[in-house]
Each structure stands twice: as C-alpha cells, then as structure tokens.
Amino acid sequence: MSNLEFFTHPSPPAPERLSEFARAVLEGLSAPEKRLPCKFFYDARGSVLFDEICELAEYYPTRTEMALFRAHAVEMARAMGEEIALIEFGAGALSKAELLLDALDRPRAYVPIDISGDYLRAMAARLKQARPKLNVLPLAADFTKPLALPQCLSQARRVGFFPGSTIGNMDGAEALAFLRKAAAVLKGGGMLIGVDLIKDPQILHAAYNDAAGITAAFNKNLLVRANRELDAGFDLDAFAHYAFYNPAQRRIEMHLMSLKDQDVTVLGRRFHFAQGETVHTENSYKYTIEGFRGLARQAGFTPRLVWSDKDGLFSLHWLEC
Ligand code: AVJ
C-alpha cells in the first residue's frame, strides 16, 4: 500500500473504538432489511423536533394524555401514594411529570431518566428553579439498558412513570422484558404508564404524516446526525419520510425511503440503496386496553385503575408490583 493510499483510504476504526451510534448504523445498514434504532432520534435537535411534534394538530397523543393528567392527577397521585420517589423513563421536557408532581403528597425525589443528556440537564435545572424544594435527581442514561438508581432511593416507595406511549417503540418481547425489569426495580410500588390505542387508521396516518413536515424532519434527523457524527454522505433530498399503519402488526412503521439507486459512505464504508429500498427507523405499537393489561400481568404487575378519553384515543394505566 502506498502512502497516498494510506492517507486517502484510512482503514475503518476498530469496532470497540466506535460510538454506540456508529456501531448501530454500521450494523443496521449491513442488514438485509436496513434498520436504525429509534432511540438515536434524540440528539439535541431531535429532542426539540419531538417537542414540536407534540404540539402538532395531527399528533393527538400528547394533548390527549395531558388532558387525562389535568382531569385525574389527584386520583393518580392518591394511587401512587405519599412520599414516593417518582422515576420517569424517557423524561424529555418533563412537562407531564410537572402535572403529577403538583398533585403528589410530599414526593421524596423526582428522578428523570433520559438518553439526551444535555437536554435533560437543561430541563432539570429549569424544573429545579421553579420548584426549589423538590429533590430532582436527573439521570442521563439509556433506560433500555441495565441502570443503577441512586442508592438513596432504596428505602423509598418507588413509582415508575412512563408516559407518551414510549413503550410502543418496543415490540412485544421487548415490552415484556422492559416491564419485567421495571417490576423488579419498583417492587412494592407501581408504575403509571401511557399507552396509545388502536383506532381509525386515518387518524394514525395523519399523526405520523403531519402537513408541516415536522415528523419527516424528525425522521431525517437520523441522517443529519450520521452526516455530522459519522462523516456520512447522506443527501437528504434523496430520501423520503415514509410512515404507515401496519394493521396486522398493530403498529405505525416509520421508514426512510431511498428515492434513487445510490451509494452512501458512512465511516469510510460504502452502502448501496436501491430505488424504493427503505431503512426502518421506528415502530409505534398500538394496544387495546385489555391487551395491554394482559401484557402487564404477564410481566408481574397487577393492573389497577385505567384512565382514557371519551374518544378512546389514549390510555393511562396504574399498575402495582
Ligand atoms: C416517542 C413513542 C411517543 O411513537 O408516537 C412521534 C415518537 N415518532 N412521531 C410515537 C414519534 C413519530 C413517539 N413516541
């Protein structure tokens, strides 16, 4: 190998030196059906785009769930109990927890967990300013991995909080495994969990294909992130946002579709995309109320109260463990 070749074609970095995102992209684009895990949407820009999605007219889950908190926070807080440690999985902007925290009887701690570290610290600092007496313990972590809770919580009644139907991003086996682990960590307490419901597919379709194109930008942000962090060469105009409801699987699927035959380089490796080929970027599973209660039971929870809006769009479940 000549020197020139050495410099123009550096060998790809050894796998163990790569970031988790890098490994996921290389692996996901090498698979026969290309895929990327949805958790990588949430860099700083992705977290802001997600907040914008939550404000969209077409995106019913956030406002429906917020209305359920406003209407039933007192009843929810009573079920959760007094002096609890509230542990939120995927806390985002913390806006849902605020409604609950107002209703809770002397909460001992609020532990927001989020993968978007800088965003989480900024949101936690803002919450701390608004509520100086609340013990806010932000944890920048991937909650799908084993995680260590602060030692000081071992004696407290621990209650999980998992709103937004984030559980919908997991397939059945992943959801069951997550709920089992949560039940072990929260033993003696419980969990309040938001679950999106099966409904008219046109409502679902609109929610993931908004007119303003924010969901498309959120989806394509994966490519923007790869271009920035992995020296990738994705042409954003050569990929389309593609989201649809798959009724057999009871899920919304999001994909990025290649609009032409093309090769894209990522970390010095070349990947081919045929015209019409897709990268599967997210699933968002929808449940029936009874179906979800069955899953919770299988995971070792006892399902108790359920709250739902009159149109049956969204549900909140209080589970004991
Ligand atoms: C993060 C699970 C609430 O599945 O609805 C929104 C993410 N993706 N629009 C969902 C999302 C596209 C969202 N959750």
Side-chain angles (χ1 to χ4, degrees):
M1 190 195 281
S2 74
N3 276 339
L4 187 67
E5 240 175 59
F6 181 77
F7 283 111
T8 53
H9 299 285
S11 52
E16 66 275 12
R17 297 241 195 99
L18 296 177
S19 68
E20 203 198 338
F21 179 50
R23 274 180 280 133
V25 171
L26 294 179
E27 191 199 304
L29 297 185
S30 304
E33 295 192 338
K34 293 183 173 64
R35 53 181 151 74
L36 291 171
C38 65
K39 66 183 178 187
F40 295 111
F41 284 137
Y42 302 94
D43 61 1
R45 177 164 176 266
S47 294
V48 169
L49 285 169
F50 181 67
D51 288 345
E52 288 178 26
I53 288 175
C54 293
E55 305 281 319
L56 291 168
E58 298 97 326
Y59 195 73
Y60 62 86
T62 311
R63 71 175 117 75
T64 310
E65 190 181 38
M66 291 293 266
L68 291 174
F69 289 130
R70 282 196 199 92
H72 306 290
V74 171
E75 204 184 346
M76 291 172 185
R78 200 183 310 128
M80 291 176 143
E82 54 191 39
E83 295 187 59
I84 62 163
L86 186 70
I87 299 152
E88 180 167 6
F89 302 97
L94 318 186
S95 38
K96 291 166 184 172
E98 283 200 84
L99 293 175
L100 268 183
L101 287 163
D102 281 334
L104 280 172
D105 189 1
R106 290 161 296 144
R108 275 217 210 153
Y110 170 51
V111 186
I113 304 171
D114 206 278
I115 195 167
S116 202
D118 291 337
Y119 187 76
L120 173 69
R121 280 179 285 272
M123 294 298 131
R126 207 180 61 174
L127 181 69
K128 189 80 201 148
Q129 285 228 308
R131 293 156 204 272
K133 277 186 286 191
L134 182 67
N135 185 19
V136 185
L137 305 169
L139 204 58
D142 177 353
F143 66 76
T144 63
K145 302 211 163 135
L147 57 97
L149 286 179
Q151 190 54 45
C152 60
L153 303 182
S154 61
Q155 299 305 311
R157 174 175 157 91
R158 292 174 301 282
V159 170
F161 183 44
F162 198 29
S165 203
T166 308
I167 195 157
N169 288 156
M170 305 174 190
D171 67 25
E174 289 165 343
L176 188 60
F178 171 79
L179 289 172
R180 285 209 169 109
K181 278 189 275 177
V185 170
L186 304 170
K187 196 91 209 122
M191 172 133 93
L192 183 66
I193 177 163
V195 179
D196 199 10
L197 299 175
I198 293 171
K199 62 181 61 61
D200 181 343
Q202 300 202 49
I203 298 175
L204 288 170
H205 191 271
Y208 293 84
N209 289 280
D210 64 280
I214 309 293
T215 308
F218 177 68
N219 197 7
K220 285 192 184 184
N221 186 48
L222 276 175
L223 305 181
V224 175
R225 183 174 181 179
N227 284 351
R228 187 183 59 240
E229 294 183 21
L230 310 179
D231 194 26
F234 287 105
D235 171 2
L236 299 183
D237 296 325
F239 286 86
H241 167 70
Y242 178 50
F244 58 91
Y245 184 60
N246 177 337
Q249 302 277 357
R250 300 176 163 197
R251 70 190 189 198
I252 287 279
E253 294 186 17
M254 287 212 314
H255 297 253
L256 289 161
M257 184 182 282
S258 177
L259 295 173
K260 59 180 190 189
D261 276 310
Q262 55 182 322
D263 289 321
V264 180
T265 305
V266 182
L267 287 171
R269 298 212 345 218
R270 210 161 75 202
F271 296 92
H272 181 71
F273 297 79
Q275 182 175 20
E277 184 180 1
T278 74
V279 184
H280 190 171
T281 54
E282 187 182 55
N283 287 320
S284 190
Y285 283 83
K286 310 304 170 188
Y287 289 86
T288 62
I289 287 178
E290 272 319 311
F292 185 75
R293 283 164 69 90
L295 185 72
R297 245 179 240 116
Q298 265 190 69
F301 282 100
T302 305
R304 298 285 189 199
L305 294 163
V306 184
W307 298 271
S308 180
D309 57 294
K310 66 167 183 4
D311 300 319
L313 296 175
F314 200 88
S315 60
L316 275 161
H317 299 247
W318 169 242
L319 313 173
E320 286 175 356
C321 58

